[in-house]
Amino acid sequence: MENTPVRPPSARLDSYVDRYAARTAGMTASEIRALFAVASRPEVVSLAGGMPNISGLPLDVVGGAISDLIAQQGPVAMQYGSGQGVPELREQITDVMRLEGIEAHPDDVVVTVGSQQAVDLVTRVFCDPGDVVICEAPSYVGALGVFKAYQCDVVHAEMDADGLVPEALRQAIASVKAAGKTIKFLYTIPNFHNPAGVTLSAERRTEILEICRSEGVLVLEDNPYGLLGFDRDPMRALRADEADNVIYLGSFSKTFAPGFRVGWALAPHPVREKLVLAQESATLCPPQFSQMAVSAYLANHDWQGQIKQFREMYRERRDAMVSSLADLMPASCRWNVPSGGFYVWLTLPPGIDAKGMLPRAVTARVAYVPGTAFYADGFGSSHMRLSFCYPTPERIREGVRRLAGVLEAEMELRATFGPAVPVRQVGPQGYDGPSTDLS
């Protein structure tokens, strides 16, 4: 009897790899998620995550509202609900959007599990594999992950201190059409951009809308930070001036609390129908309890006054971040001064790789997000996103002090030995991020 050769055990770590759908190749952990375990340690000053600081919330008021909700409407709140969302909350959402000039009907609002799910639903409804989504350069890492998971091709368009550059958008549209590909939408964060911190100017908003209208490109306006400006009233939303070609996304995660996971999409009526169907296939319905809790908070608390307190708190932290950078960082660094939101976008000295430097920063007990997380094509190595929303001003200054020490040591090593590996300093078409001029 012949001996049957014994096959060596598979070296694969995942024995199911041949069974997955092709689209799972696009499902990868973001660079921010990879930092969570480290950044959450108390000895580490995290300038990485964009966690809202909810310490200013009146938890007694919130707790009382939830207690009353359980006592008065518990059986309803803990039951299945509508795939479109609680009618009372949808009505209140129209009041929130009115602060940014949007006049809308509650019937065109779809409540989602955070605005992240809204990005997913819109992409699922509109995009086939190989379709193109145009995004600002850089762009929100969570949206890039969605587009990649649905096998979309992302084309970046340049930003500067006034937001998305209209001519860059024209060029991106022209290049995609010349390649024979289909553009499904422009994904944009016009207010206090994540990660760049810049805001699209009023003049450019009109021009961007006209470009997209004339080119037949839908606009997906993601606006979680719009009410968190430090020095002025909210800017007029893109959706306020274009009802038929803009899908607007909002969220209570930044203006109330992220733990409820309540966001929404405002869409033209036919699109709304498709989003409701997609919502029902994904979750059946958004959580009824979370929606009714948020609704009770809006009905019984001075939520606009609470947002004003958040704005003042985040402005204090922004000031601590910017002053610490000015006092402590090497002179060859550049950064912007955001007028709202959560983030500063910092440009490193030539030849310094933010991703390569990150392990040394973590060893020094400070964390940030490398700029490469916010590009679909691997660019952004000379940038980092610094978040000022969560740490106290004192912790922000200490974090910047630690980061400056790491950067100075990195610069000394480079001056002595030269760069260890070539660093990509230039992004698409000669561009690697928005202007960080302090003026």
Side-chain angles (χ1 to χ4, degrees):
M1 182 175 180
E2 294 183 3
N3 291 328
T4 303
V6 178
R7 298 182 63 183
S10 173
R12 290 176 174 172
L13 296 178
D14 185 352
S15 61
Y16 296 91
V17 68
D18 294 328
R19 307 182 191 184
Y20 295 135
R23 63 181 172 272
T24 61
M27 296 180 179
T28 56
S30 75
E31 295 185 29
I32 297 177
R33 178 181 149 194
L35 281 169
F36 276 173
V38 170
S40 62
R41 285 159 39 190
E43 70 272 18
V44 175
V45 178
S46 176
L47 306 177
M51 292 190 301
N53 193 315
I54 59 173
S55 62
L57 271 179
L59 295 183
D60 55 339
V61 173
V62 176
I66 292 175
S67 178
D68 291 343
L69 174 63
I70 292 293
Q72 299 168 13
Q73 301 184 73
V76 176
M78 291 186 285
Q79 188 55 271
Y80 289 120
S82 162
Q84 187 173 354
V86 172
E88 292 82 2
L89 179 60
R90 289 190 279 116
E91 180 75 44
Q92 290 164 313
I93 285 171
T94 64
D95 294 334
V96 173
M97 293 188 294
R98 195 168 289 116
L99 297 176
E100 296 174 309
I102 297 174
E103 294 295 334
H105 196 281
D107 284 352
D108 290 328
V109 174
V110 179
V111 180
T112 58
V113 184
S115 60
Q116 178 71 22
Q117 191 204 23
V119 175
D120 185 282
L121 296 179
V122 170
T123 308
R124 184 191 309 184
V125 164
F126 279 96
C127 294
D128 292 314
D131 284 342
V132 171
V133 176
I134 297 178
C135 298
E136 293 139 337
S139 190
Y140 167 50
V141 62
L144 294 178
V146 170
F147 304 147
K148 186 176 181 182
Y150 282 102
Q151 299 172 289
C152 301
D153 293 336
V154 171
V155 172
H156 284 296
E158 177 183 352
M159 284 195 297
D160 62 17
D162 291 318
L164 179 61
V165 177
E167 186 56 34
L169 176 59
R170 288 191 183 93
Q171 292 175 4
I173 293 172
S175 66
V176 173
K177 289 189 173 182
K181 294 188 174 183
T182 302
I183 302 170
K184 284 303 176 71
F185 52 81
L186 163 69
Y187 173 78
T188 179
I189 307 171
N191 298 310
F192 320 125
H193 189 275
N194 178 7
V198 301
T199 295
L200 185 63
S201 67
E203 297 76 17
R204 286 190 181 176
R205 291 175 188 238
T206 301
E207 189 171 1
I208 295 297
L209 286 173
E210 176 55 36
I211 292 170
C212 291
R213 188 184 309 114
S214 63
E215 295 288 349
V217 174
L218 183 69
V219 177
L220 183 58
E221 179 181 14
D222 195 359
N223 190 33
Y225 308 98
L227 300 183
L228 295 177
F230 301 148
D231 305 306
R232 57 171 294 170
D233 292 334
M235 293 193 70
R236 189 171 175 84
L238 296 171
R239 170 57 177 74
D241 295 314
E242 181 62 78
D244 294 333
N245 199 47
V246 176
I247 299 175
Y248 175 98
L249 308 184
S251 174
F252 290 108
S253 291
K254 310 301 188 294
T255 56
F256 180 26
F260 290 100
R261 303 306 300 132
V262 175
W264 71 90
L266 172 65
H269 193 79
V271 177
R272 182 215 69 181
E273 287 296 307
K274 291 291 190 293
L275 294 179
V276 172
L277 292 174
Q279 166 80 284
E280 289 174 344
S281 70
T283 64
L284 189 61
C285 61
Q288 182 105 324
F289 183 86
S290 293
Q291 294 177 75
M292 294 182 70
V294 173
S295 180
Y297 169 80
L298 295 174
N300 300 304
H301 183 62
D302 179 15
W303 58 271
Q304 293 192 53
Q306 185 64 56
I307 290 174
K308 183 175 185 293
Q309 292 182 34
F310 282 145
R311 291 169 60 185
E312 293 170 352
M313 178 179 62
Y314 292 138
R315 178 171 53 202
E316 179 187 25
R317 283 159 164 75
R318 185 276 312 267
D319 292 345
M321 173 72 77
V322 171
S323 64
S324 299
L325 292 171
D327 291 344
L328 300 170
M329 294 299 272
S332 50
C333 289
R334 295 180 291 119
W335 56 89
N336 63 319
V337 180
S339 58
F342 286 4
Y343 307 109
V344 166
W345 184 248
L346 185 139
T347 302
L348 294 166
I352 302 299
D353 184 342
K355 190 170 183 178
M357 190 176 71
L358 183 58
R360 287 179 282 278
V362 171
T363 300
R365 296 173 298 166
V366 61
Y368 58 84
V369 184
T372 49
F374 306 101
Y375 289 82
D377 45 21
F379 291 101
S381 61
S382 60
H383 299 279
M384 62 175 64
R385 189 191 76 177
L386 300 177
S387 174
F388 54 80
C389 51
Y390 191 76
T392 63
E394 294 75 22
R395 290 282 283 175
I396 289 171
R397 187 169 185 86
E398 174 59 21
V400 172
R401 185 193 67 78
R402 296 177 188 181
L403 181 59
V406 173
L407 182 53
E408 288 169 355
E410 193 80 2
M411 293 170 65
E412 290 176 5
L413 284 172
R414 187 178 186 278
T416 302
F417 300 106
V421 294
V423 177
R424 301 173 77 181
Q425 294 293 340
V426 181
Q429 300 176 347
Y431 175 75
D432 199 29
S435 168
T436 49
D437 188 351
L438 285 173
S439 61

